[in-house]
Amino acid sequence: MFPRKPQSLLLLNKARLLPPTNPKLLHLSPNPPPPPLPPPQASLPLRTSIYKQLLRRCADTRSLILGKLLHSHMIRTSYKPTIFIHNNLLGVYCKCRDLASACQLFDRMPVRDAVTWNSLIAGYSQMGSAAKALDVFRRAWDSEVPLDRFSYAGALGACAQSGDLMKGRILHGMVVVNGLYRRAFITNSLIDMYSKCGMIDDVRFAFDRADELDEVSWNSLLSAYVRIGWPEVAANILVWMHRSGVRLNSFALGGILKACTGFDDCEEVRRMLHGCVIKIGLDLDLFVGSAMLDMYAKNGGLEEAIKVFECIPNPNVVVFNAMIAGFSRLGNEKNVEAKIEALRLFAEMLRRRMRLSKFTFKSVLEACNLTNSIRCGMQIHAHIILNGLQDDEFIGSALITLYSKLRLIDCSLRCFHLTPKDHSFTWTSIVTAYIQNEQFERALHLFKEFLAQERKPDQFIISSVMNACSDLGTTWAGEQMQGYAVKSGLDKFTVYGNAQINMYTKAGDIGASIKTYEEIDCWDIFSWSMMILSYGFHGYVREALKLFEKIEECQIVPDEMTFLAVLTACSHGGLADEAFRYYESMITDYDLSPNVKHMACIVDLLGRAGRLADAEGFIMNSAFENDPLIWHALLRACCFHGDKERGIRVGERLMIIEPFSSSSYMSLYNMYLDVGKVSMAMRTRGLMRERGVGKEIGMSWIEIGQLVHTITAGNNSYSIDDQVYAKLKEMMARVEGKMGNVGLQIFEFQKQSEKWKENLINGHGELMAVVLGMYNLPQSVTIRVMKNQRVCGDCHTILKFLSEVEGREIVLRDPCRFHWFNSGSCSCGDYW
């Protein structure tokens, strides 16, 4: 028996517990203390079924906070979870991408099964850590836990993610050894792994050897052929699926529709797929609808794309993006309504308060590029800033192009500096922007900055820089770019080869152009056009026309540029009948609309033939009667044939069309003086001063070694050695002895030494550049000179005789054409 407590102690304890009855005996206070709280009771754990439901809810909603609260509750209540609850909790951490907590839980689990390892493998795969996922699989294999099909599927998915074909083949062998290859689930994982590794033969092997196939297997096979770039085979697989009774889902149809976007001639295939989509009832599916819309839009079926768009209920951002991209792609000068429709759709997205993506802005900026409207572009730019997408490289490149076309190169540079510049296409955009704005030196400087950052260029930026070299006329820089392209293997690309043809064409080296053309592995229509243009520029008219006939024999469809090259060749060769025949063929046989450049070639041909009235009538009946380019061609013909009256009328019209062009004023000024209208000539000079139009400074330049020597009119800072003048006098004496003094002004100035030198610098810079080249370059090297104004008549005559008496080839490029002087004749036929 337990000992009894004393009676007094019992009474004391009882008194402490009972409330007092006499308030006078208590210490009175206005706020008596609250009664003491009962001792806290220990929390009880929840039932296992409740934990299971809550954990499943956490995994479905990806709620990491709720999952951690449940885990904390288990610890506080001393709950001993089973392996099933442990696996569920591990799955929550993995699906919520908290791999650190998942690993801590995994390390503390007393027992692990295949589901435990599968959860961790799947978690690392979802995070993109394929190497860690495969490492977990290896540890699971070493732990001798019996792995199931989900273990191998997770490991195969990690191999597909990393492109590790070798480990994927090892896993394939392990699957076969363990007898799991008969299951469709594993077959689908094998097809996906081999497909993402680019092994289409192994994909077909796994599919054909499988004992069990399901809809996912067929869809995986179809996606494999789509991914590898064989849309024709994918279409056959789709027919095979239909005949085998396999149900087609939105994933399969969306993939094949996307693949058919790359078809050039597949109108029947597209219509067949569209009918298949409607019969299955997926024409209202957003994924399939957007893929079908994109397929039609990218292949010129704008009307079909609009019908598909109108049939989709509640289109999302992806559908709107596909429609805007289709309108932007087709919104050229001939279809301005499509461009306006793209902007209208963008406004509709804003009205619906849709969350715009970077693809939305990229497509709508492409539509704005056709408007050349700074207001529209800046409004789109403001929306980009509001959506926080100004640092996206695709959008940055589109903004650079937009401001470049608006001639706002400073804004383009500002957008370039705000872009991360992680990819080369951003650099390509800014280099192209400077080239389009005729700032070629800055374009080359940016390319040097690009290389200084140890970046690897692609064929597009190399081609852009090569175009800058061609416009500058710097053969040395172009040859260096060619050497770099050869060393880096970029010379095999067609786009680079075309740029190299262009560079050598503008440099006046027809031989190098032909060699480059012959070394291109795969010609496109631009390659053919550039070579025809090169032949025409250098006077090889018959070769140019033979090359065009070869295009027709190969059944290659020429475009507008091809016909421009042919008409240019006919213009340089004076072949009027052939030119009109090609002009008519362009309209009737190929359904191409001539632009102002085609018209200018026809006017140039009529002017060369002396048919000035026909040329003027041709202009007035065309749709380009207010374009200055076509009137300049007629003005050159009037000057050549001495039709001063018509030339004055054309010059006055040009002053109205382009009131700030100095060439129009100077041509009109000279013609007024030729007909004796001095007052009108002075009035023309007065208009130039009133309108702030300055005469363009004449410049001639020649490349000698690695230096470009520029001779500028009115600039005495460039000093020429007296030995060069002595050589010029010696050559001029031989030319005068050959041709006699036929009234050329340059011989008159030769009698006064100082005035003669000043006149040569100011008015005959091309002659000085040619003599400078003859003095410094070997006899076997062709003299190549560039000039920003038309060559004068005196220099043209002297250079013809100079090429004969000195036995040198001289190539002179002015804004109108090439002049190839050889053996006393010029390739222009004395018409420029």
Side-chain angles (χ1 to χ4, degrees), residues 59 102 132 239 523 558 611 691 705 745 773:
K132 292 184 178 180
V239 176
W523 297 320
R611 298 162 57 182
R691 296 175 180 177
Q745 294 182 359

Side-chain angles (χ1 to χ4, degrees), residues 117-126 129-137 148-162 171 175 185-186 189-190 192-193:
W117 293 98
N118 295 345
S119 298
L120 199 59
I121 292 172
Y124 277 119
S125 295
Q126 291 174 0
S129 302
K132 292 184 178 180
L134 292 173
D135 183 64
V136 173
F137 177 83
D148 57 10
R149 54 178 181 162
F150 299 102
S151 308
Y152 289 100
L156 287 170
C159 291
Q161 190 179 71
S162 61
L171 286 170
V175 165
F185 184 78
I186 293 296
S189 299
L190 287 170
D192 182 68
M193 185 271 295

Side-chain angles (χ1 to χ4, degrees), residues 371-542:
T371 65
N372 292 331
S373 172
I374 185 172
R375 182 178 180 182
C376 178
M378 285 185 171
Q379 286 180 351
I380 302 297
H381 195 176
H383 282 288
I384 291 171
I385 296 173
L386 289 175
N387 286 269
L389 296 173
Q390 64 271 19
D391 57 347
D392 182 81
E393 285 201 70
F394 290 99
I395 294 177
S397 298
L399 286 172
I400 291 171
T401 304
L402 172 71
Y403 287 118
S404 169
K405 290 189 175 182
L406 298 175
R407 298 288 180 181
L408 299 174
I409 191 64
D410 293 335
C411 295
S412 295
L413 187 61
R414 214 172 292 128
C415 294
F416 173 74
H417 288 315
L418 292 174
T419 308
K421 300 181 284 294
D422 294 330
H423 298 87
S424 61
F425 61 80
T426 308
W427 291 85
T428 306
S429 299
I430 190 64
V431 169
T432 306
Y434 274 106
I435 294 173
Q436 290 175 348
N437 286 270
E438 299 181 357
Q439 298 187 25
F440 310 115
E441 295 88 349
R442 180 59 179 162
L444 295 178
H445 177 75
L446 278 172
F447 181 70
K448 291 180 181 178
E449 184 179 342
F450 174 81
L451 295 179
Q453 297 183 10
E454 298 182 355
R455 296 176 179 268
K456 186 177 180 180
D458 57 11
Q459 67 269 26
F460 300 105
I461 190 170
I462 288 287
S463 303
S464 299
V465 176
M466 185 65 83
N467 288 328
C469 296
S470 64
D471 288 317
L472 277 174
T474 53
T475 310
W476 176 80
E479 290 174 347
Q480 280 213 329
M481 292 302 305
Q482 180 182 356
Y484 184 87
V486 171
K487 290 180 181 178
S488 57
L490 297 174
D491 60 319
K492 302 301 181 183
F493 289 95
T494 304
V495 63
Y496 168 78
N498 296 338
Q500 187 169 312
I501 294 175
N502 183 40
M503 189 272 294
Y504 281 119
T505 298
K506 292 184 177 180
D509 194 344
I510 181 64
S513 296
I514 297 173
K515 186 177 180 181
T516 303
Y517 172 77
E518 293 174 347
E519 290 177 352
I520 296 178
D521 296 332
C522 182
W523 297 320
D524 59 7
I525 191 61
F526 191 79
S527 309
W528 295 85
S529 303
M530 282 303 305
M531 200 61 234
I532 294 173
L533 194 64
S534 182
Y535 278 131
F537 272 156
H538 294 87
Y540 295 90
V541 181
R542 295 299 176 186

Side-chain angles (χ1 to χ4, degrees), residues 212-223:
E212 179 182 329
L213 296 172
D214 57 8
E215 295 177 3
V216 179
S217 307
W218 287 90
N219 291 329
S220 299
L221 178 66
L222 180 65
S223 301

Side-chain angles (χ1 to χ4, degrees), residues 552-567:
E552 294 181 327
E553 291 175 1
C554 296
Q555 296 183 350
I556 299 173
V557 180
D559 58 5
E560 290 89 348
M561 183 180 177
T562 312
F563 278 102
L564 177 62
V566 172
L567 292 176

